[in-house]
Amino acid sequence: MEDYQAIKEQICDICHKMWQLGWVAANDGNVSARLPDSRIIATPTGISKSFITPDKLVLLDSQGNILEVGEGYRPSSEIKMHLRCYDRRPDVQSVIHAHPPGATGFAVAHKAMDMYNMIEDVAVMGAVPLTPYGTPSTSEVPDAIEPYLEEHDVMLLENHGALAVGSDVLTAFYRMESLELWAKITINAVILGGSYDISRENIQKLIDLRGYYRVTGRHPGYKQFNPGDELLHKK
């Protein structure tokens, strides 16, 4: 298939970057991509993202049944979460799950990332929800994220990590990268005395620029999940 090998190599490159950036340790995290014929390429379980090579990736059908897999490998236990994203979002062609420390800190602190303090993140992602707790490898996680998929491309998974979807592997990766930098900047702001939101009027102007900048995916508009948190929402 056209670009099949290129997509496999791109997934491996992203896996290596995730490990180098410290978003995953040991066997953490998973990456997948949907091909034009609806087949899915996914990372296997039980292997560090630093060791991923194209021959180790798993090929699945749209229901998660294995079509091709190397000896001794099997799909990630979180593949159900990926499949739910593809099923509910025809525009999504890649899913990334990782444990970036800054963003995962918010997930562990049970705080959504709904700060309107960074221009780029207001326009591209908007408020990032904290999805309810779900036991990994079960249907609890896909059930927990489903209500948010219609409006959000990035989510925090309670006590677990982060999820990003995109129109291709690079877009999903960029969203996860932006999420983590945003989380770190906000944590630094809170240490320095608090995060200051952009004015409501200017927030809407930034959201309206999505079309001009040809930003793909979904956006929730203006939404707050932690309205009473003064450290995250100084005026």
Side-chain angles (χ1 to χ4, degrees), residues 1-8 11 31-43 57-69 79 82-83 86-87 90 92-95 169:
M1 169 172 290
E2 182 183 3
D3 294 332
Y4 176 55
Q5 188 62 29
I7 292 174
K8 291 176 71 173
I11 289 175
V31 181
S32 70
R34 177 161 54 179
L35 298 171
D37 63 1
S38 295
R39 293 184 300 170
I40 295 165
I41 308 171
T43 50
L57 298 176
V58 181
L59 183 65
L60 310 165
D61 66 16
S62 60
Q63 304 303 309
N65 299 306
I66 297 173
L67 300 176
E68 293 179 13
V69 63
I79 195 63
H82 294 242
L83 295 174
Y86 294 129
D87 182 60
V92 166
Q93 306 304 327
S94 181
V95 179
V169 181

Side-chain angles (χ1 to χ4, degrees), residues 116 127 197-198 200 203-204 207 219-224 235:
Y116 290 87
D197 283 352
I198 297 166
R200 183 69 181 86
I203 288 169
Q204 192 57 51
I207 295 172
H219 194 285
Y222 182 78
K223 184 177 292 187
Q224 282 195 321
K235 302 298 183 183

